[in-house]
Amino acid sequence: MESLTSRMQAIQSPIIPVVGELIKNSPGTISLGQGVVYYSPPPEAIEFLPKFLAEENNHLYKSVEGILPLVTALAGKLQAFNGIEINGENCIVVTAGSNMGFMNAILAITNPGDEIILNTPYYFNHEMAIAMAGCRSILVATDENYQLRTEAIAQAITPKTRAVVTISPNNPTGVVYSEATLRQVNEICKTRGIYHISDEAYEYFTYDGVKHISPGAFGGSSKYTISLYSLSKAYGFASWRIGYMVIPQHLLVAVKKVQDTILICPPVISQYAALGALQAKEEYLKENIGAISQVRQLVLTSLNRLQGLCTITPANGAFYFFLKVHTQIDAFELVKRLIQEYKVAVIPGTTFGIDNQCYLRVAYGALQQETAKEGIERLVEGLQNIIRS
């Protein structure tokens, strides 16, 4: 049995559990690592759970693409917030998180050996999903501000290309792509007959007046745009595992085959909670994201003390900063030293496809102000001492 091999040997190991083990062995460490929010789901989500329990049939399998009340509520949200109309050309599929939506999409649109264009730094689970499907990630570097290079994307397309992936607001960099840039990518995909996969898990997390843009709202884009969404971030739903995708109607049969095989149906109790969450008062998102915005300012003020030692690229979205550290130290070795010597954890840039220099992702969504202040102070002190030594 020990001689057996599988495709999984070529897949990178998820970094969060690896860093989690280091944190476990260094008690008292403050984590600026995992991308989650500090707050819980709205009370409306919990209030809907008795509605699930009141229906005996809810313990049976339900529709592969999601229960009708939730699909209807999501259609309303997409129209109001994203400007996406659900019509005869597109449809909604509820998933167990947006990571599953991405896997559904890749399996639905590719054959083994096909290519998917990722912009670096990429989200590691995207690269992993593409490899698991027997496809190739074609990496296109972003510019010095982590913005898309649309000409380079167009040049990277080959006859084997099936999609271009964009993430805005971005994980791991926190940057937000402009409407003009996203329109260019979307038009490239239309012209070349490929899909535009738009990951919008952080759609509500924009700052300083920056507006989120959904490519699925562009006129005529419904037939080739796949949009991915999540309740994990904005609604504190990380463990409830509810996301959803808007896909061209012609992909529904293929996506349902994938989802029925892996999941059968999204957890119905979580779908009821999601239905409740979508009815939360406007103040819920405003207050919680406002608090994260304040933490962001605190983090940015502290990080600016690293000027000269690190490059801090402006970022107006999500809850990340992606630091370029001016050192020859290996990124993962630096992460280990920060945990062991300064009790603060971040994620190495190698996980996101950047291995030519030392980069670190700093996440600030999971912490309230006092803890965030202490954590960022430890990080700044640690980097100053380690880099200068």
Side-chain angles (χ1 to χ4, degrees):
M1 294 296 289
E2 290 181 4
S3 64
L4 290 178
T5 61
S6 82
R7 69 185 70 194
M8 290 303 116
Q9 288 183 299
I11 310 298
Q12 67 164 306
S13 296
I15 192 64
I16 300 298
V18 174
V19 174
E21 191 64 25
L22 291 171
I23 293 171
K24 181 180 175 182
N25 294 330
S26 187
T29 295
I30 295 175
S31 178
L32 299 169
Q34 194 164 19
V36 293
V37 296
Y38 73 89
Y39 55 89
S40 300
E44 290 87 348
I46 310 305
E47 289 165 5
F48 261 64
L49 298 185
K51 296 179 185 292
F52 165 82
L53 296 170
E55 292 288 338
E56 187 174 332
N57 285 339
N58 279 338
H59 300 294
L60 303 175
Y61 295 131
K62 294 296 180 181
S63 170
V64 175
E65 60 261 53
I67 59 174
L68 182 58
L70 179 56
V71 171
T72 301
L74 291 172
K77 174 266 176 186
L78 287 162
Q79 179 77 66
F81 185 80
N82 305 93
I84 296 176
E85 179 185 358
I86 301 302
N87 50 42
E89 293 184 345
N90 60 9
C91 57
I92 297 168
V93 176
V94 181
T95 60
S98 61
N99 269 8
M100 182 170 191
F102 186 82
M103 193 79 204
N104 285 352
I106 295 300
L107 291 173
I109 68 174
T110 64
N111 290 308
D114 284 345
E115 298 172 352
I116 304 292
I117 293 177
L118 298 182
N119 298 282
T120 57
Y122 54 62
Y123 172 45
F124 54 86
N125 281 136
H126 285 175
E127 189 273 338
M128 293 166 69
I130 292 164
M132 287 179 193
C135 298
R136 292 182 61 219
S137 295
I138 303 301
L139 306 183
V140 175
T142 51
D143 69 16
E144 65 276 7
N145 292 315
Y146 307 128
Q147 292 293 327
L148 300 178
R149 297 162 57 239
T150 53
E151 289 186 6
I153 291 171
Q155 290 171 2
I157 296 172
T158 75
K160 289 189 175 183
T161 305
R162 293 295 170 263
V164 176
V165 179
T166 60
I167 311 170
S168 183
N170 188 261
N171 177 12
T173 67
V175 303
V176 180
Y177 303 142
S178 69
E179 179 175 351
T181 299
L182 289 170
R183 281 189 179 276
Q184 287 176 18
V185 174
N186 200 255
E187 186 64 26
I188 289 168
C189 293
K190 177 184 178 181
T191 302
R192 302 296 287 271
I194 60 178
Y195 293 97
H196 181 181
I197 303 177
S198 175
D199 187 329
E200 303 174 38
Y202 299 88
E203 58 184 327
Y204 291 102
F205 296 88
T206 58
Y207 315 102
D208 299 333
V210 173
K211 188 176 183 296
H212 172 68
I213 301 296
S214 295
F218 299 157
S221 70
S222 296
K223 292 183 179 180
Y224 58 90
T225 304
I226 299 170
S227 305
L228 307 178
Y229 301 96
S230 174
L231 272 71
S232 294
K233 314 302 180 183
Y235 289 96
F237 250 60
S239 72
W240 292 84
R241 307 314 304 137
I242 291 292
Y244 54 103
M245 55 196 309
V246 180
I247 60 173
Q249 184 70 39
H250 65 258
L251 288 179
L252 180 59
V253 171
V255 167
K256 286 173 69 173
K257 287 178 183 179
V258 179
Q259 181 139 304
D260 184 70
T261 300
I262 297 174
L263 187 68
I264 298 183
C265 68
V268 178
I269 190 169
S270 295
Q271 291 190 69
Y272 269 76
L275 186 57
L278 291 173
Q279 299 185 30
K281 295 179 177 61
E282 188 177 324
E283 288 74 21
Y284 171 80
L285 290 177
K286 187 176 181 180
E287 291 175 5
N288 285 311
I289 295 175
I292 288 179
S293 178
Q294 292 177 357
V295 171
R296 172 180 174 270
Q297 288 299 328
L298 182 155
V299 169
L300 190 55
T301 298
S302 294
L303 288 178
N304 282 332
R305 289 162 40 205
L306 293 171
Q307 295 288 354
L309 299 176
C310 299
T311 299
I312 299 103
T313 300
N316 293 310
F319 33 74
Y320 306 113
F321 288 107
F322 200 63
L323 308 185
K324 179 181 180 181
V325 187
H326 304 158
T327 180
Q328 297 302 310
I329 301 172
D330 174 77
F332 186 65
E333 288 302 313
L334 182 55
V335 167
K336 287 198 291 188
R337 287 192 63 182
L338 286 167
I339 294 172
Q340 293 164 356
E341 298 173 25
Y342 294 91
K343 294 192 181 297
V344 61
V346 289
I347 302 297
T350 46
T351 299
F352 306 99
I354 306 294
D355 54 12
N356 58 338
Q357 287 181 287
C358 184
Y359 287 80
L360 302 174
R361 188 190 75 173
V362 179
Y364 54 86
L367 304 176
Q368 293 181 283
Q369 284 204 34
E370 285 306 309
T371 310
K373 184 176 181 181
E374 174 63 24
I376 202 67
E377 287 297 314
R378 293 182 190 182
L379 177 64
V380 169
E381 180 187 1
L383 288 175
Q384 287 175 334
N385 293 340
I386 293 171
I387 297 169
R388 287 171 175 164
S389 62

